[in-house]
Amino acid sequence: MSTNAPQLQAEQITLLLRNMYSSLWPAIVVALALAYTLEPAHGKFTVLCWAIAVISSKTFATWDAQRLLAQPILPAQVPALVRRLLLLNAIDGIAWGALAWVGLDPQAAPASVLVIAVLSGIVGNSMSLLSPVLPVFVVFCVGELGMLALKAWTMGELAYQALSVAALAYLGSLLSQGYNSARATRAAIELRFENIDLIEMLKVESARASDARVAAEQANHAKSRFLAAASHDLRQPIHAQSLFLEVLARSALTPEQQEILGNARAAGLASAEMLHTLLDFSRIEAGVVDPQPEAFQLQTLLTKIESELAPQANAKGLLYRTRDSTVALYSDPALLELILRNLVSNAVRYTERGGILVACRRRRDHALLEVWDTGIGIAAEQQENIFLEFHQLGNPERDRQKGLGLGLSIARGLAQLLGHPLSVVSQPGRGSVFRLRIPLAQQAPLHRHVRKRPQERPTLGLRVLVIDDDQAVRSAMQHLLAQWGCLCMVAEDLDSALELSAQVPPDIIISDYRLRAQRTGAEAIATLRAQLGRELPALLVTGDTAPVRLREARASGVPLLHKPVAPDQLYAALAELANHDAAQH
């Protein structure tokens, strides 16, 4: 990064011209004072003429500088301006040097001392004023001190000839210092230009970075929209499939058909788990997860996780151990369960030999919940990247058995939401330990009564209006609700739903959130309630995972289920709504 010579010289000339005004009034004062003080042999008139010449020269140079500064100094003007400044300052230097011819008088020693002192001070002061353009400084010094040295030499006395030599030595010293000053000034100007260039480069890079950030945000939004759309479209048939499989499970099947059905339900469950993982990620992004912290016993959660995930570890030949704990924690048990399930699932997924240990250690006012594994380990430079969404180690083929790469991202997001710091310590080839720091409960946890699910569900006997634009979902809901003893009416849009409800008023409404004609399930439920004149129990069911849709659905105040909905979950929700409505009436 370098500045071209004409541009640099233009800046030097600008600096010199700006210095001119500051030297005008001191020069006028000195010249007038000398004209008043000196009484040379040549008379007052001679000194007065000299003062007028000096003042005129200085005034014109200052006026010319102000005129030139009215416009920017361009590099193309440099040669002409340098010649102009050389001429004006040569005249100015000679004019000041003429003082030696006017004021030096062997018969008047005080006057001679005054003249020498003034000329020395003027030429010394000119260094700061003129040294930015070294040739200009040189001509001024040569003009002034040259006149002094010449006059002193021609006076014939040894003392004055010594003064002449001293003046020339002083000239050499000044020129050397002026050269150093000019170099320093040039370096300062170059540094300023470099800083300006750096600032411009930073602006350009900042603009590029800003453009890249905007592009990345747009790509991220596009990714989120794509995932939401893909997730929604995938959820519809899987939701319908799970309902049809539930209907089929209640049919008379041979043992071989029961085995095939079990395999089909397992495959559907695996697909549903992946979709629910995407949903968990979207819910965190949407900010619709509200922690409900309470005091609870950790051992219940540890037992539940072990019962669910230990079989997966055993199937891989791994040893799964849970260290019993009497610790009571203060957190949201449902969200903490989700964090722990993701951590343990990740440990099982990336461990091929050895085992997994889940343990909790008490530390003063908090506990450390730890998940140890003897898996592949994580390199130090990757230990933050593993918490990024869709980031996976050792899965370039995107094997679905290794998940989607969202588990740790969800765990970190929920941990931050709960205020529980999550950290990892790992060594490649030796395994990892994930630690979650959780506050201890300050009071005894409430006893939780867990009801066992009955083997046979009682019939519901409800009139249910289902609004969904997917034919497969409507058909599956009709078959399933009929098995639960319900009269199921189905509509593909709001208009059809209004006609049906006018004929047979429903007890409960189940509506998909996204309907045709840009309508929403929340709007449909509000319209039907207005038509029927009462706060009819209702459920929203959605396959949409877009954060904005999740926030809208949540704001409606209607209970929300996410496709694919497990039949058990749907039955429980309907039974709860029916019981609540009956209690109010």
Side-chain angles (χ1 to χ4, degrees):
M1 190 185 318
S2 59
T3 307
N4 60 64
Q7 184 182 12
L8 197 149
Q9 289 173 340
E11 193 65 21
Q12 290 173 298
I13 290 172
T14 301
L15 181 58
L16 185 150
L17 293 175
R18 287 174 179 164
N19 290 338
M20 295 296 292
Y21 184 79
S22 63
S23 64
L24 173 62
W25 291 106
I28 292 174
V29 171
V30 170
L32 292 177
L34 286 171
Y36 177 78
T37 303
L38 291 177
E39 294 185 5
H42 302 290
K44 279 282 189 182
F45 179 74
T46 305
V47 179
L48 186 59
C49 291
W50 167 84
I52 292 172
V54 167
I55 293 172
S56 300
S57 169
K58 201 65 180 178
T59 302
F60 178 81
T62 303
W63 170 82
D64 192 52
Q66 296 299 310
R67 181 182 63 84
L68 293 173
L69 287 173
Q71 298 294 332
I73 304 299
L74 303 176
Q77 299 174 283
V78 166
L81 288 177
V82 169
R83 290 194 296 270
R84 186 183 190 88
L85 289 171
L86 285 172
L87 176 61
L88 290 176
N89 284 277
I91 293 172
D92 193 37
I94 292 171
W96 277 104
L99 178 62
W101 293 80
V102 173
L104 281 184
D105 185 357
Q107 306 302 320
S112 297
V113 171
L114 178 61
V115 167
I116 294 170
V118 168
L119 292 179
S120 299
I122 292 296
V123 76
N125 182 63
S126 67
M127 183 181 297
S128 62
L129 301 176
L130 305 179
S131 63
V133 183
L134 185 59
V136 175
F137 176 65
V138 171
V139 298
F140 179 84
C141 291
V142 170
E144 187 199 278
L145 292 179
M147 291 287 286
L148 172 60
L150 181 60
K151 172 62 177 176
W153 188 265
T154 58
M155 292 176 70
E157 294 185 12
L158 183 60
Y160 283 100
Q161 288 178 341
L163 174 61
S164 176
V165 174
L168 294 177
Y170 184 44
L171 173 62
S173 175
L174 283 175
L175 294 182
S176 175
Q177 294 178 39
Y179 174 74
N180 292 334
S181 178
R183 286 184 59 187
T185 301
R186 183 184 182 92
I189 294 172
E190 286 180 333
L191 181 61
R192 185 163 66 85
F193 277 124
E194 288 178 3
N195 288 338
I196 291 172
D197 290 343
L198 283 173
I199 290 171
E200 291 302 319
M201 288 178 62
L202 285 174
K203 287 181 179 178
V204 171
E205 292 301 321
S206 177
R208 289 177 180 171
S210 178
D211 292 342
R213 179 180 56 78
V214 170
E217 288 177 352
Q218 291 174 343
N220 188 53
H221 292 157
K223 177 203 72 175
S224 298
R225 289 194 298 271
F226 168 76
L227 286 175
S231 175
H232 177 271
D233 294 342
L234 285 171
R235 286 171 187 274
Q236 292 289 89
I238 292 176
H239 175 60
Q241 173 188 288
S242 69
L243 300 180
F244 278 127
L245 290 175
E246 178 69 13
V247 173
L248 188 59
R250 294 177 173 272
S251 305
L253 300 175
T254 67
E256 181 180 3
Q257 290 170 333
Q258 288 283 1
E259 181 181 356
I260 295 173
L261 175 62
N263 292 333
R265 296 180 82 172
L269 181 61
S271 299
E273 286 178 351
M274 288 189 177
L275 290 173
H276 285 314
T277 299
L278 284 173
L279 174 63
D280 291 335
F281 178 70
S282 297
R283 289 172 68 223
I284 294 171
E285 276 196 328
V288 297
V289 180
D290 284 334
Q292 303 293 327
E294 61 182 69
F296 66 97
Q297 291 288 346
L298 175 63
Q299 185 59 43
T300 304
L301 176 57
L302 296 181
T303 303
K304 180 179 181 181
I305 295 294
E306 181 175 3
S307 66
E308 292 181 11
L309 298 180
Q312 297 180 20
N314 296 336
K316 294 182 68 175
L318 303 175
L319 176 64
Y320 187 106
R321 292 177 54 213
T322 299
R323 187 175 295 164
D324 290 345
S325 175
T326 59
V327 167
L329 302 178
Y330 185 75
S331 182
D332 184 313
L335 298 183
L336 186 61
E337 177 185 339
L338 184 54
I339 295 172
L340 186 58
R341 178 177 286 107
N342 278 314
L343 294 179
V344 175
S345 297
N346 185 75
V348 173
R349 187 175 295 123
Y350 287 98
T351 302
E352 298 301 328
R353 62 180 181 275
I356 291 96
L357 170 67
V358 181
C360 185
R361 294 187 292 168
R362 187 189 298 267
R363 291 288 185 273
R364 294 186 180 179
D365 61 345
H366 67 275
L368 291 178
L369 181 57
E370 300 174 338
V371 177
W372 295 74
D373 67 62
T374 56
I376 61 174
I378 308 159
E381 63 274 10
Q382 288 287 339
Q383 289 181 11
E384 276 301 313
N385 294 337
I386 61 171
F387 293 106
L388 300 176
E389 60 266 25
F390 304 107
H391 185 87
Q392 288 182 303
L393 300 178
N395 189 22
E397 69 278 4
R398 302 303 295 182
D399 181 3
R400 72 175 181 85
Q401 297 295 330
K402 295 183 179 180
L404 297 173
L406 285 174
L408 293 180
S409 177
I410 291 170
R412 169 65 68 85
L414 290 175
Q416 291 176 339
L417 184 66
L418 292 169
H420 303 342
L422 176 61
S423 61
V424 60
V425 177
S426 183
Q427 290 186 14
R430 300 191 61 179
S432 307
V433 55
F434 288 83
R435 291 190 175 93
L436 192 65
R437 189 174 185 271
I438 311 167
L440 294 172
Q442 300 300 314
Q443 57 185 15
L446 298 175
H447 178 69
R448 287 170 163 262
H449 177 66
V450 181
R451 293 181 302 171
K452 293 185 178 179
R453 191 184 65 185
Q455 296 295 319
E456 294 296 331
R457 302 186 185 95
T459 57
L460 294 173
L462 300 170
R463 297 187 302 274
V464 182
L465 174 59
V466 174
I467 312 171
D468 200 301
D469 57 9
D470 189 286
Q471 171 59 36
V473 172
R474 295 197 300 272
S475 177
M477 290 290 284
Q478 279 185 307
H479 285 87
L480 182 61
L481 290 172
Q483 289 191 345
W484 293 346
C486 296
L487 171 63
C488 180
M489 303 171 286
V490 295
E492 63 180 354
D493 55 31
L494 177 57
D495 293 337
S496 302
L498 289 170
E499 292 178 10
L500 287 172
S501 66
Q503 299 168 12
V504 181
D507 298 317
I508 290 179
I509 305 167
I510 302 176
S511 177
D512 189 20
Y513 183 74
R514 188 194 295 183
L515 301 176
R516 292 177 180 171
Q518 304 299 313
R519 308 298 290 271
T520 69
E523 294 179 56
I525 291 169
T527 303
L528 287 165
R529 284 172 171 174
Q531 182 192 58
L532 297 170
R534 75 185 190 94
E535 197 73 8
L536 201 63
L539 279 176
L540 279 174
V541 182
T542 183
D544 210 325
T545 59
V548 64
R549 296 285 185 274
L550 293 176
R551 286 192 287 268
E552 290 173 358
R554 184 191 187 206
S556 70
V558 179
L560 179 66
L561 299 178
H562 296 279
K563 296 179 181 179
V565 180
D568 291 348
Q569 184 185 18
L570 180 61
Y571 181 92
L574 288 174
E576 183 178 351
L577 285 175
N579 292 336
H580 181 72
D581 188 57
Q584 287 188 331
H585 295 84

